[in-house]
Amino acid sequence: MKAYKHSSYEAYIEAQEKCTLNGENNIWVPDVEIEILSHHIQSHIPDPTLGLCHGVRNGYEVKKLRECLHAEERGLEIIGTELSSCAERYEHVIQWDFHNSKPEWLRQTSFIYSNSFDHAHDPRRALTEWLKCLIPNKGLLYIELFEESEEEEPTPADCLVFNIQELKEIILSIENTFIKEVISIPPAGGQNNTNTVHNLNVVVAGTTGAVK
C-alpha cells in the first residue's frame, strides 16, 4: 500500500475539496454495482435499519441504494457523507470527514459502502471507525476498489494505491474483524456510460465483537 503524505490536515482538506468540486457532476459507481450490492444486502442483512455511504461526492450511490432497497417504504435510513462543502447541495448527504464516527452510528449500522477509500489520509483509522459502526455479527462493510498497476503512484487527492490483499490485511489487523468475500463487478456503464472499467471488486467485511 502506497500513501501520499500531506504536509498538514488542512492540505488534505484543500486537495479533496479541489478534486470534488472539479468533478462534482462525475459519477464513478456503475449501476450494475449498486444492483449487485442491493441484492447482497437484502440476502445477507435481515431488516437493515441504517446504511452509510462514505465519500459520495454528489450522492449518486445514496440515491440509487435508497431506490433499490426501497428505503422509504421499509423505514431504512441511508446517509451519505462528503468532506467537501458541496455536500449541502444533495439530499440525504451531510458534510463529514469519514475518518470520524457519530455516536449514534456506533454498533448501530447495518451496512457501510464506499468507493472512496483511496481518498483516506489515514487508512487504518478510517477502517477502524467504519468497522466500529457495524452491528456485530450482522452489519457488513462494502469497499470498492479498482486494481491499479504497481506503477501507479498516490496523489494529493487519491491518497492511496492498494490491492485486494493489502486491504484484506489491514482489515484483519483490526480486532474482531473478518473478510466475508470479494465480489467481482462486471464491466458496465453507469449513468452516461462513464464506468466501463475492468478489475473492479468489492471487498465485504464484518465484525464479531467490539472494535477498538
Side-chain angles (χ1 to χ4, degrees), residues 8 38-39 44-45 55 89-90 96 144:
S8 65
S38 295
H39 178 74
H44 294 84
I45 306 174
R89 292 196 276 273
Y90 301 101
W96 188 260
E144 180 209 272

Side-chain angles (χ1 to χ4, degrees), residues 15 34 38 40 45 50 76 78-79 85 94 98 106 108 114 116 121 125 127 131 134 157 163-164 181-182 203:
I34 296 297
S38 295
H40 193 278
I45 306 174
L50 174 62
L76 167 60
I78 303 177
I79 301 168
S85 58
I94 63 172
F98 64 40
L106 298 175
Q108 300 297 318
S114 182
S116 299
H121 71 85
R125 175 178 171 180
L127 284 173
L131 290 160
L134 296 178
N163 58 39
I164 290 176
E181 61 185 299
V182 177
V203 174

Side-chain angles (χ1 to χ4, degrees), residues 12 25 27 57 78 100 105 110 129 131 138 147 161:
Y12 166 72
N25 296 321
I27 295 170
R57 195 181 296 256
I78 303 177
N100 302 311
W105 297 345
S110 302
E129 289 302 313
L131 290 160
K138 177 182 178 180
E147 289 272 32
V161 175

